Amino acid sequence: PGQAPAPAPVAAGRAAAVYHLMHLAATLSEAVGVADVTQRVADLVLPAAGAQALSLMTAEEGRLRIVGHRGWTDELIRRLDGVPLTSDDPAARCLAHGTPAFYAAFSELRRAHPSLIRLDDMAAWCFLPLLASGVPVGTLVLAYDRPHTFAPSERALLTSLAGLVAQALDRARLYDVNQSLAHTLQAGLLPHRLPRLDGLDVAARYLPAGRHAGIGGDLYDLIRLDDTTAAAAIGDVQGHNVRAATLMGQVRTAVHATAGAPPAEVLARTNRLLTDLDPGLFTSCLYVHLDLDRHRARLACAGHPPPVLRRPDGRAEVLRVPPNLLLGVDAAADYTCTHVDLPPGSVLVLYTDGLVEVPGTDLLDSVDALAARLVDAGDLDADGLADVLVDDARRSAHRSDDVAVLVLRTL
């Protein structure tokens, strides 16, 4: 009481209103996922509305869940989270009726909701239903620290802003669901545990691509053949979508089915299978047959980056394995086999190109740098070496490709 009404928001003018609508529309069109939408809404809607607090709610299983907020304490948000859609809460009633509600002062809010308990120190509120194609998505709540009169033009602007937010939030929720399903699919197709073999210390790392790149098709595997032999494989399916992840599973299955045959034959059979399937995607793959009793390995490559070998004396080199054709290009493609000695203390590193691809840097230079990191890492076990090798990729916020690494250390 006694407080002067807050000044009109920056968006009250017609030209400013159009600007804010266009800017919000352009910004939200680039948003990916609910968290991204929430951040952008808070950054843009608060100043556009001249408000001091904001909460963004989604309708989930009969309740309003707060997915983002600004200007309120986390403790208060926890108390407000999970309001039933059937309650008399203003956010729930707003969504149930599909109409915005504006309250210039707490006295107006109390008259509309007599049972409401005041939990914050705000002085005015607006509740905006988020409807996408007529379907309730959630509620956007804005609050002001002084009594606030909502002019008709401002109400129209806020309602338009809510429409943009609703569309973006609906897309974002669908994106998050699809990403979750795709990542679950990919995780299910990768090995949950690598087999143990006497004479071999092994570790694997998989890092999904940055959030804007989508699901990838990197694969790795270690297959126990008998007490002294094993097969290792690593590959990369072209593309970043569910098709790529599915094809990755088919490649892994094909390699499993033929593991134990000569490496060149394993790749040739897998290639014929993929060519028959005609998925429209190509796959790189490196297959290694390990003979731990004789301390030797046979390798065959299908367009995959070359492995790196660190010898027991600490020297490292990039193995110049003939690259051959990618899988799925030509059903009649031949693959050649390379032999390499792996005396105890050797470290063989298989990886996908996401580990070494650096914009503006030649790929071979990046692979040489990987070999240098392997040397500098010293005498760590396979787990420690794997962590060292993926450290730079793990810290990169702009990585656009998946990373898979398989470290094989002979004992």
Side-chain angles (χ1 to χ4, degrees), residues 27-336:
T27 302
L28 290 181
S29 68
E30 300 173 354
V32 177
V34 171
D36 198 8
V37 167
T38 300
Q39 180 70 35
R40 294 176 189 236
V41 167
D43 288 343
L44 294 176
V45 172
L46 274 180
Q52 283 68 52
L54 171 151
S55 66
L56 185 60
M57 306 176 175
T58 61
E60 300 176 13
E61 299 180 346
R63 294 181 178 272
L64 277 176
R65 296 295 180 183
I66 300 175
V67 295
H69 67 93
R70 189 169 295 179
W72 280 301
T73 64
D74 291 340
E75 181 181 357
L76 175 60
I77 291 299
R78 281 193 294 271
R79 295 181 65 180
L80 297 174
D81 188 33
V83 170
L85 293 176
T86 55
S87 72
D88 187 50
D89 181 88
R93 184 186 290 185
C94 158
L95 184 58
H97 292 175
T99 55
F102 302 90
Y103 303 100
F106 182 70
S107 58
E108 295 184 10
L109 183 58
R110 171 60 65 84
R111 280 196 299 270
H113 302 273
S115 62
L116 186 69
I117 299 174
R118 189 168 188 170
L119 298 176
D120 62 17
D121 56 358
M122 294 296 169
W125 298 262
C126 74
F127 298 85
L128 303 166
L130 302 178
L131 306 174
S133 301
V135 177
V137 175
T139 303
L140 176 63
V141 183
L142 298 171
Y144 301 76
D145 59 4
R146 300 167 63 186
H148 187 98
T149 301
F150 296 91
S153 60
E154 185 179 358
R155 295 186 182 208
L157 169 68
L158 293 174
T159 302
S160 297
L161 290 176
L164 294 175
V165 173
Q167 294 175 29
L169 188 59
D170 194 40
R171 291 194 304 269
R173 292 172 69 185
L174 179 61
Y175 174 87
D176 285 346
V177 168
N178 287 339
Q179 284 297 99
S180 176
L181 288 173
H183 283 289
T184 300
L185 169 64
Q186 187 176 39
L189 293 173
L190 289 171
H192 291 232
R193 184 183 297 112
L194 297 175
R196 296 178 178 273
L197 291 98
D198 291 337
L200 186 66
D201 180 22
V202 60
R205 296 291 183 272
Y206 172 77
L207 305 180
R211 63 184 302 181
H212 294 283
I215 190 72
D218 286 18
L219 67 100
Y220 65 86
D221 209 351
L222 181 68
I223 306 162
R224 180 191 181 97
L225 300 176
D226 58 36
D227 290 343
T228 61
T229 60
I234 197 159
D236 187 356
V237 179
Q238 171 193 29
H240 290 87
N241 49 41
V242 174
R243 285 181 61 212
T246 303
L247 185 59
M248 176 265 282
Q250 292 172 320
V251 172
R252 183 170 174 239
T253 299
V255 169
H256 261 267
T258 54
E265 184 62 25
V266 171
L267 291 188
R269 293 180 186 178
T270 304
N271 175 59
R272 287 195 292 271
L273 171 65
L274 294 190
T275 306
D276 289 342
L277 291 174
D278 191 22
L281 300 175
F282 303 132
T283 303
S284 70
C285 186
L286 180 66
Y287 178 89
V288 182
H289 181 95
L290 298 163
D291 187 334
L292 301 175
D293 191 32
R294 299 181 181 180
H295 303 294
R296 298 187 67 191
R298 292 178 291 161
L299 305 86
C301 181
H304 200 79
V308 174
L309 173 65
R310 191 180 75 184
R311 300 193 179 278
D313 62 6
R315 294 180 297 111
E317 63 178 296
V318 179
L319 297 180
R320 305 303 177 186
V321 181
N324 303 306
L325 274 179
L326 293 164
L327 302 177
V329 176
D330 179 4
D334 289 325
Y335 297 90
T336 54

